[in-house]
Structures are given as C-alpha cells and as structure tokens.
Amino acid sequence: MRAAQVTATTGPAGVEIREVPDAVAGPGQVLIEVHSVGVSFPDLLLSKGEYQLRPDPPFTLGVDVAGTVAEVGAGVEGFTIGQRVAGVLPHGGAADLVAVPAPFVFPLPDGTSYDEGAALPMNYLTAQFALDERAGLRAGETVLVHGAAGGVGTAAIQVATAMGARVIAVVSSNDKAEVARAAGAGEAVLLDGFRDAVTALTQGQGVDVVIDVVGGDAFTDSLRVLAPQGRLMVVGFASGQGIPEVKVNRLLLNNVDVRGVGWGAYAMVRPGFMQEQWQELKPMLASGVVRPPIGATYAFEEFAQALVDLEERRATGKLVVHVRD
C-alpha cells in the first residue's frame, strides 16, 4: 500500500509517498480503507521533529482520516464492513489502509462527506473539549476566537455557536474575516488593533472565553479583553513567535484564568471519552451548525505541498488530501 512518510525530519521536503506493507486489523482495531486525510498542524510539526511525539523516520503522517471499514479486529463490536467512518490517531493515517483503535473510530452521518469527515475528529473534538470540558462555556457567554479562519478556529466558532455563545472572530485579513463569518462568527475583527475593537463590541465588558491557537504577541491583549472570571484557553502557538509568558498578578487582579487545552494527551488515555464527545457533536452536525469548511483539497502525491501551504499560512478551514476517489 502507499503511505505519506517522513523519511527525514526536514519539514515538507522530507515527505515522500512510499510503498509499505499492508496494514491489518489487530485485536481491538478497525481497519479503514482511507478516502480522505485531514492535514493538521501536528503533521507539520512531526515532519520537522518538533512535536511532543517524535517517532523515528521513516514514519507515516496523518492524524484525521475518513473512509470505509475494510476489516474488524477481534473483540470489536458495532462496526460493519463497508460502513462509512472517521478516525483519529497520533499519526499513521495517510495511507491506503490504516488500523485504528476502535474507541477512536466514529460512524459518519449520511450527510457528511469523506472530506468533512476527515476535518472533524481532531479539530472539532479539540474545540468541544476546550469549550465544554476546560472552559465550562455557558449559553449566552461571549467567545473570542484567534486564528478564526483556520481548522481549529472555524471548529471553535461552530461548536461555540451550537452551545449558544456569541462569537467574535480575530483574523489577519479581510478575506479571512469572510471565511470566519461564513463559518458562523457573528462578528470578525482584524488582529491589528483587536483589543480596542473587541472592547468596543462588548461595550467595555470584555469576553468570557478566549480560544487562542496562535499565541505570540497577541497573548497579553487577549488577557486584557477578558471579562471578570474570564477564561483564556491555550490551544496552540501557530504564530511561531514563541511561547508567551503570563504575569500572574494579572490573573489575581482581574479574577481570570489561563487554562491549557491538551485534548490528545487527555482523550487518548480515556478510551470512552472521545465517543462521549462524538455523541455531543452528532446533534450539532444534524442541525447544520457544524459543517467543516474545506479550504483546499490535494491529490495524495501532493501531501508535502499541503504541508507547505499550512506552514506558509495560506490555509483557511481544513486542508484535505484525497487518497482515493
């Protein structure tokens, strides 16, 4: 079978499509015939050897997949051959076939395409974890989303909207503002000067929750726009400007929190947790509020180019690679 493999941790240049032995379903696993693979920031970091997980090359990329069930391993119930599913794993999904632990495999609704399925697991389960489990979001609260035109950003917009929140998107350009609004954001402001814009939009009250996938120079102003008892969710550092630091006196004076959002580390060691999350997403999918925006699609041979586009911040929504038609 074919697989998109990192042969050297030199970034996208070290990614090749190679022939590898066929995957098989072991006990407790579901073998998926992959149609679509989502491209994510962890893929880029893995290709550079900069992720917290550092497998030795050669290894296969691919965190989010969607396709059909090809084989069911011993001890697995609830899946049938040919069933449409999505799955998530630390890496290894960018191949013709992938064996995924059954707790990390989810039936796809009839109205959800393979491309949308490959956009769902990591981004939307991360957003649901950030907003529900970590932020304790309540209906009627206001959520500020940084990097709002990207994969996690658009997921956060839609999940927050489905939970009854007002959403303000922060983006780097007017074009990306349109992407964020199309995803469901009620308002969108530019990163340059966002603090003043958000203060004006909230009549000086501030926001209850910040979803920050960007980090960098905007971090301090994100703290400053929190309302009393506001919560800033640290999801990632896509800006590449380094990891910001917190002066804890700001937390004390304003009664605000900074909370980490490490969805993978939490969910992958709690086998039933992702399935519970998926049940929370199902009515959001059925209502149409959650519908992943697909920014661009690529042929399987173009996996490295998709990583380049992600690295150079040309991506909006979710980038998806087609493994088969």
Side-chain angles (χ1 to χ4, degrees), residues 115 293-298 309 316-321:
D115 286 359
I294 308 302
T297 60
Y298 302 79
D309 291 347
T316 59
K318 184 75 167 183
L319 303 184
V320 175
V321 171

Side-chain angles (χ1 to χ4, degrees), residues 73-95:
V76 175
E77 298 179 353
F79 294 100
T80 58
I81 305 303
Q83 183 179 5
R84 299 170 68 254
V85 294
V88 65
L89 64 173
H91 65 88

Side-chain angles (χ1 to χ4, degrees), residues 102-241:
F104 308 153
V105 180
F106 318 100
L108 277 183
D110 290 340
T112 302
S113 69
Y114 289 126
D115 286 359
E116 291 168 341
L120 280 169
M122 190 187 72
N123 287 352
Y124 282 80
L125 298 184
T126 294
Q128 196 274 343
F129 178 67
L131 290 162
D132 185 28
E133 183 82 16
R134 299 296 292 131
L137 180 66
R138 297 179 291 272
E141 290 192 313
T142 300
V143 177
L144 178 72
V145 179
H146 280 288
V152 176
T154 51
I157 288 170
Q158 294 183 349
V159 173
T161 300
M163 293 177 69
R166 172 192 182 186
V167 179
I168 302 173
V170 181
V171 293
S172 59
S173 70
N174 289 321
D175 287 345
K176 290 185 176 181
E178 290 306 311
V179 172
R181 291 190 187 97
E187 295 120 332
V189 300
L190 295 179
L191 178 61
D192 185 16
F194 83 90
R195 177 187 172 191
D196 290 341
V198 171
T199 299
L201 284 172
T202 60
Q203 289 79 50
Q205 297 301 305
V207 301
D208 301 292
V209 175
V210 173
I211 299 294
D212 188 4
V213 301
V214 176
D217 295 341
F219 188 84
T220 299
D221 277 346
S222 294
L223 279 175
R224 289 170 172 155
V225 298
L226 284 175
Q229 299 192 61
R231 294 87 76 195
L232 192 159
M233 301 292 107
V234 179
V235 183
F237 312 103
S239 70
Q241 296 173 343

